[in-house]
Amino acid sequence: MRTPRRLRAMAATAFLGLMAAMAGPVGGAHADPAGPAEQTVGDITGFSTAGPVFHLQAGPARARVSFVSADTFRIELAPDGTFTDPTGKDVVLPQGPPPGTRWRERPDRYEMSTPAVTLRAYKHPLRFALHRADGSRLWAETKGLTWTADRTTQTLGRGAAEQFYGAGMQNGRGNTSHRGKTVEVGVDYNWNDGGHPNSVPFYLSSAGYGVYRNTYAPNTYAFGDPVTTSAQERRFDAYYVAGTTPKEVIGRYTKLTGRPFLPPLYGLEIGDSDCYLHNKNRGERRTLDALKVADGYTANDLPLGWMLVNDGYGCGYENLAEVNKGLGDRRMKMGLWTEDGLAKLADQVKTGQRVAKLDVAWVGDGYKFALDGCKDAYKGIEDNSDARGFTWAPESWSGAQRCGVQWSGDQKGSWEYIRWQIPTYAGATMSGLAYTTGDVDGIFGGSPKTYVRDLQWKAFLPAVMTMDGWAPSDKQPWRYGEPYTSINRKYLKLKESLLPYMYSYAAEATRTGVGPVRPLALEYPDDPRASSEEAKYEFLTGEHFLVAPVYEDKEVRDGIYLPRGKWTDYWTGRTYEGPTTVNGYRAPLDTLPLFVKAGANIPMWPGIRSYEDRTPDSPVAWDVYPDGTAAPSTFTLYEDDGVTRAHRSGAHAEQKLTVRARSAADVTLELGASRGDFRGKQTARPYHFTVHTGEAPRHAALNGQDLPHLESKDAFEKADRGWWYDAGDRGGVVQVKTGTRPTDRALTVVIAP
C-alpha cells in the first residue's frame, strides 16, 4: 500500500472515529445505556396492514414488512418504535408497483404472502420464517431479532448442506463456500489476503435466498450453526430475495440495487498507469512522455486500451489535449487518477478523459462517500461526452456495480499474491460485482516469472491494468525482455481476440446481474465439490472456459477439478470426462492451464491488437467444440458500437450460432441472421469456423453447396472460401471459410463424414 495513501486513509479514519465518538455509536441515538447488554424482540402485541406494507408491534419495538415484488421484500425493526433509513435512495432503486399481497392469522402466527413466497411472523415471541408458495422453507429465525446499543443481529437456522457466498470482494476467498466461516463487511484498508475491500452487505444461500442489509454500517456474517448476521447500528433493515438458482438470486438482488454497467470495449482491454509529471520515483518527466510508453506497446506489438497519465501522489498533468490526441492517434484512450476530488472532471472529460480511477484518500471512510464518488465520476463522464461512464474504485459498497470496476488496491507482486487473488474476483461475482480485478504483478515487488503467470490468468478477467512507478522498475509487459515479452504478447492478443466473447457476457451482466467471471459453484450449484476447497484456485470465464492458474514457481499444476461434462485442453486438444481431478498437468511458463467445455461456441476477432483494428470487412471467427452427446448448443453474439450509450436506446444486434453434432465429424452449424442495428454495423462479413472434430470429414457444404476442399494450410489461408482439415492442430480441427456473407441472412455449414 502506498505510504501517502495509508497516511491519508488513517487520518480520514481517525477523524471519522473522533466524530463518531462525539456523536455516539452508529444508530446510537436510540441506545439505552442503562438497558441490558442485549435485548431480544418480544411477543407480537399488535398487527395492521396497509396494502403491501405490514406493521407489527412488540412492546415498544416496531417491525415493518414491505413487499417489493413477488419474490422480494424488506423487514425493518426499530427497537424504540422510530424507523430511520440512512441509505435513503442511494442504493435501492425504484422497483415499480408493489405486488398483490394477502395475509391471514393463524393461532401461532401471521402469514404475509405473494404468489411466490409467504413470510411467517410467529407471535410468541416475534420470529420470522420464509417459505415458498409450495410450503418449502427457505429460512427461519431460531430466535427473535436482537440488539444492543450499537448492533442488531439476526439468527437463522443452518441447513445440513447449506452453503453461503457473497459479502463482496473478500481477498483470498469467496468463490467457495463461507460455511463455517466468519466474514467482515466494511472498510479496513487491508488490500492483502484476508482483507475485504469493496465489501457488499449481501450474501446468498444455496437454499435459494439472498439477504441485503440496507445500511452503511459495517457488518459481520458468521455462517456457523446457527447463522448470525449483524450490523453495527441499533436498527435492523434487510431486503430478502428468493430464487431457485444462485443466478436468479443474484439477478433479483441486482434488480433491487442496480445491474452492472456495460463497459466500453476499450475498458475490456489492458490499461497502463503511471505518473508522468514530477515523478519522484522515476525522475523528472513530462505528461507528454506518456506517449513514449504508448509507443513501446505499439513497437512491441502489444495491445493497450487506455492509459492513466497522472497516477501518483502530487502528480498533476499538463498538455492534456495534446496527450489525448496522441493517445487517440495510437488507438488508446486517456484516463486520469482522481486524487483530490471531482472539481475538474467536466473539463477533463471535455478534453478527452474516458477513465476515472478513484482514490481511497478522498473517498475517506468509504461507504456513502465512496459510493457517491463512483456515481458522480461515472455521471461526470457521461454528462460531458457521448461515452459510457467508466471508473475504478478501491473501496465501494452495494450499488457500485452500476458505475465502476472494483479494484483490490495496492499489493506486492509475488507467488502468494497470485494465489490469494484467484478466488477473490470470481467470488465477488456472487455479490453482483461483475468487474473486479487487481494490478498485473502488483505495484510493488514482482519478478519476470510472477508477472507472466499473473498476466496469463488475468487475461481472462474482463478488466485489468498494469501499474508502474512504484516497483524498482516499470511494469509494462515488455520490460523483462524475452522470452517474457513474447509470452505476455500471446496472452494479451488472446484477450483481444476473445473480446466478442467477453463483451457478450458483459452485455448479459447488464440484463441478469451475473458477471463474466464465475465460481464453479455458480454454474454447478448441485456439485458439492464445486463449493469446496477443491475448486478454490480455479474459475470459469463465462460458461465455457475453465482457468486454473499456476500460483507456484513450478511447471506442473496439480489439483485441477473439472466438473461434469467433457473438457478439452485449449492448447493440445486432449479431452477429459468430468467430474475428475487432473494432477501432473504440464504447464511450462508459456502455458496457462485452460480448458473448454464441450458445446462451446466461442466468437472471436482474429489477429487484432485493438478493437479499433476492426474494419467493415473484418471476419468473425467461431471456435466450436461440438458435443455429440448433448442437445444442440447455442451462443448469442452481442454487438453494438462499443463506445457510446446508444445501446441503451436499443442500438445493438444479436446473432445466434446453433451447433448440432451427431458424431465427432458429423456437425451442422446454423448461424442465424444478425437481428438489430447500430451505427457502424457490418452489413456483410466473412465467417471463419474452427471445429474441433478430432477426425477428418469427407466434405463440407455451405447452404447446401459443397465448399472447395483445400489441401494445405497455405492454400486455406490464401483462399476466400473452402475447408481444410488440420490433423496436427489440437487433436484435429476442421477449418472453414464462408467468404463474405450478408449479416441479415442466415447460413448453414454442414461438416459430414
Side-chain angles (χ1 to χ4, degrees):
M1 189 183 302
R2 303 175 198 175
T3 301
R5 174 172 288 176
R6 178 187 288 275
L7 291 174
R8 296 179 69 167
M10 290 174 62
T13 304
F15 172 75
L16 288 159
L18 176 61
M19 295 301 292
M22 295 170 62
V26 179
H30 310 300
D32 179 8
E38 181 179 274
Q39 299 181 64
T40 303
V41 67
D43 294 347
I44 293 178
T45 56
F47 179 88
S48 63
T49 180
V53 181
F54 300 87
H55 298 269
L56 300 92
Q57 189 166 354
R62 293 182 181 271
R64 183 164 62 189
V65 176
S66 310
F67 281 90
V68 175
S69 70
D71 41 49
T72 303
F73 61 92
R74 180 184 188 183
I75 296 177
E76 299 169 88
L77 176 76
D80 66 353
T82 302
F83 293 104
T84 60
D85 186 359
T87 65
K89 299 179 180 180
D90 293 349
V91 180
V92 174
L93 301 178
Q95 297 294 301
T101 59
R102 64 187 185 278
W103 70 277
R104 63 179 174 178
E105 183 177 6
R106 291 182 176 272
D108 65 336
R109 65 183 184 267
Y110 294 95
E111 294 182 348
M112 299 155 278
S113 301
T114 71
V117 297
T118 293
L119 180 67
R120 297 179 180 180
Y122 289 93
K123 296 178 179 179
H124 306 295
L126 170 58
R127 289 179 293 109
F128 291 105
L130 180 63
H131 294 251
R132 296 192 194 275
D134 64 6
S136 59
R137 190 173 72 187
L138 293 175
W139 58 260
E141 293 181 335
T142 59
K143 63 184 292 188
L145 294 169
T146 63
W147 64 87
T148 64
D150 58 1
R151 183 178 296 270
T152 52
T153 301
Q154 184 176 46
T155 305
L156 303 179
R158 190 180 74 177
E162 190 174 4
Q163 309 297 329
F164 303 90
Y165 305 89
M169 186 185 288
Q170 295 287 324
N171 286 352
R173 53 184 168 169
N175 70 334
T176 53
S177 178
H178 292 315
R179 181 183 174 93
K181 302 171 184 174
T182 298
V183 297
E184 300 292 339
V185 177
V187 177
D188 68 347
Y189 302 112
N190 177 5
W191 294 340
N192 294 303
D193 192 8
H196 40 88
N198 294 293
S199 290
V200 174
F202 166 81
Y203 73 90
L204 68 83
S205 161
S206 63
Y209 71 90
V211 185
Y212 160 62
R213 290 292 281 263
N214 187 42
T215 179
Y216 283 127
N219 286 232
T220 300
Y221 303 151
F223 296 108
D225 189 10
V227 174
T228 59
T229 59
S230 63
Q232 293 180 26
E233 58 182 357
R234 197 174 183 264
R235 56 184 291 276
F236 182 87
D237 188 350
Y239 286 83
Y240 300 81
V241 297
T244 57
T245 66
K247 288 183 180 180
E248 277 192 358
V249 173
I250 294 169
R252 288 166 183 167
Y253 161 70
T254 55
K255 183 177 185 297
L256 189 71
T257 63
R259 301 289 196 212
F261 77 114
L262 179 60
L265 276 170
Y266 52 81
L268 301 182
E269 299 177 317
I270 191 170
D272 186 287
S273 64
D274 200 356
C275 171
Y276 290 98
L277 186 65
H278 313 311
N279 186 326
K280 67 178 183 179
N281 296 327
R282 294 292 183 265
E284 186 62 23
R285 297 192 295 186
R286 318 301 297 190
T287 309
L288 282 167
D289 288 335
L291 302 182
K292 299 176 184 176
V293 172
D295 286 337
Y297 280 89
T298 303
N300 286 281
D301 192 24
L302 290 160
L304 183 67
W306 48 275
M307 291 188 74
L308 295 171
V309 298
N310 69 329
D311 193 52
Y313 282 95
C315 186
Y317 55 76
E318 60 188 5
N319 305 118
L320 209 58
E322 292 90 338
V323 171
N324 179 65
K325 181 180 183 305
L327 289 175
D329 291 344
R330 293 158 174 81
R331 298 184 175 180
M332 304 165 190
K333 303 296 183 185
M334 183 178 71
L336 292 170
W337 180 50
T338 305
E339 179 186 354
D340 296 315
L342 302 175
K344 300 177 183 178
L345 182 64
D347 289 339
Q348 291 168 172
V349 172
K350 291 173 183 176
T351 305
Q353 179 185 2
R354 293 295 179 267
V355 184
K357 176 170 165 280
L358 310 181
D359 184 71
V360 71
W362 73 269
V363 298
D365 67 336
Y367 308 105
K368 176 176 172 57
F369 196 16
L371 180 59
D372 286 347
C374 179
K375 292 189 291 187
D376 291 347
Y378 182 89
K379 185 174 185 294
I381 291 173
E382 298 202 342
D383 285 350
N384 295 282
S385 72
D386 66 351
R388 303 173 196 175
F390 186 58
T391 76
W392 284 55
E395 296 290 350
S396 60
W397 202 243
S398 286
Q401 70 272 7
R402 308 193 298 252
C403 53
V405 174
Q406 282 72 50
W407 167 67
S408 61
D410 300 337
Q411 295 102 12
K412 181 178 180 180
S414 66
W415 296 108
E416 179 66 5
Y417 169 69
I418 296 173
R419 182 198 63 77
W420 67 255
Q421 288 216 328
I422 298 166
T424 302
Y425 307 125
T429 299
M430 301 299 258
S431 301
L433 301 181
Y435 308 102
T436 54
T437 191
D439 303 321
V440 178
D441 206 28
I443 72 167
F444 308 118
S447 69
K449 284 186 178 181
T450 56
Y451 191 101
V452 164
R453 287 300 196 191
D454 202 35
L455 185 146
Q456 284 175 351
W457 71 272
K458 284 179 176 168
F460 285 84
L461 302 180
V464 68
M465 73 172 167
T466 184
M467 187 177 289
D468 308 294
W470 299 94
S473 61
D474 283 346
K475 290 206 169 189
Q476 284 89 15
W478 70 86
R479 295 294 186 184
Y480 290 120
E482 295 295 348
Y484 312 108
T485 300
S486 292
I487 301 172
N488 294 335
R489 181 186 302 114
K490 168 183 172 179
Y491 286 94
L492 288 177
K493 284 202 166 183
L494 178 57
K495 180 176 176 62
E496 288 291 315
S497 69
L498 289 171
L499 277 175
Y501 177 82
M502 188 71 80
Y503 197 59
S504 295
Y505 274 105
E508 180 181 300
T510 67
R511 299 190 301 268
T512 68
V514 179
V517 175
R518 304 172 178 188
L520 271 62
L522 184 61
E523 294 293 340
Y524 302 91
D526 298 325
D527 183 347
R529 296 168 72 182
S531 64
S532 74
E533 296 294 296
E534 282 191 73
K536 184 171 184 177
Y537 297 112
E538 57 193 70
F539 61 89
L540 298 164
T541 295
E543 299 172 44
H544 307 294
F545 282 108
L546 188 148
V547 184
V550 176
Y551 55 90
E552 299 173 286
D553 189 7
K554 296 180 179 179
E555 295 193 349
V556 174
R557 176 65 153 85
D558 292 323
I560 302 172
Y561 177 63
L562 303 178
R564 68 178 180 271
K566 186 171 78 174
W567 296 88
T568 299
D569 186 316
Y570 185 77
W571 310 111
T572 69
R574 178 179 175 180
T575 60
Y576 302 82
E577 193 66 38
T580 189
T581 298
V582 178
N583 292 310
Y585 182 93
R586 295 293 303 168
L589 188 61
D590 68 343
T591 302
L592 168 73
L594 181 65
F595 303 85
V596 187
K597 189 174 184 182
N601 309 321
I602 299 169
M604 303 179 76
W605 288 340
I608 63 169
R609 191 171 55 82
S610 165
Y611 79 94
E612 293 190 48
D613 290 343
R614 299 277 297 167
T615 64
D617 59 352
S618 291
V620 170
W622 290 86
D623 197 17
V624 177
Y625 295 77
D627 186 356
T629 64
S633 61
T634 65
F635 189 92
T636 300
L637 169 67
Y638 172 90
E639 299 175 282
D640 60 30
D641 68 30
V643 177
T644 76
R645 305 187 294 277
H647 66 287
R648 298 179 191 169
S649 302
H652 69 272
E654 294 184 338
Q655 188 173 29
K656 180 188 288 187
L657 176 64
T658 301
V659 177
R660 307 175 192 277
R662 288 162 291 279
S663 66
D666 189 357
V667 182
T668 299
L669 313 173
E670 299 171 356
L671 184 64
S674 176
R675 305 296 186 188
D677 196 19
F678 58 91
R679 184 176 181 180
K681 179 184 175 181
Q682 292 175 292
T683 57
R685 62 189 173 202
Y687 295 99
H688 298 174
F689 296 93
T690 299
V691 187
H692 296 255
T693 62
E695 61 184 74
R698 296 188 65 180
H699 75 277
L702 172 63
N703 292 339
Q705 300 294 316
D706 283 353
L707 286 166
H709 179 204
L710 304 165
E711 298 294 338
S712 69
K713 181 177 182 179
D714 183 62
F716 179 78
E717 289 179 347
K718 291 178 180 177
D720 178 63
R721 60 195 296 271
W723 70 277
W724 175 60
Y725 179 70
D726 187 349
D729 184 6
R730 292 167 288 175
V733 300
V734 178
Q735 301 279 1
V736 178
K737 286 183 179 179
T738 66
T740 299
R741 311 291 302 181
T743 55
D744 63 353
R745 298 181 193 174
L747 63 84
T748 300
V749 172
V750 174
I751 298 169

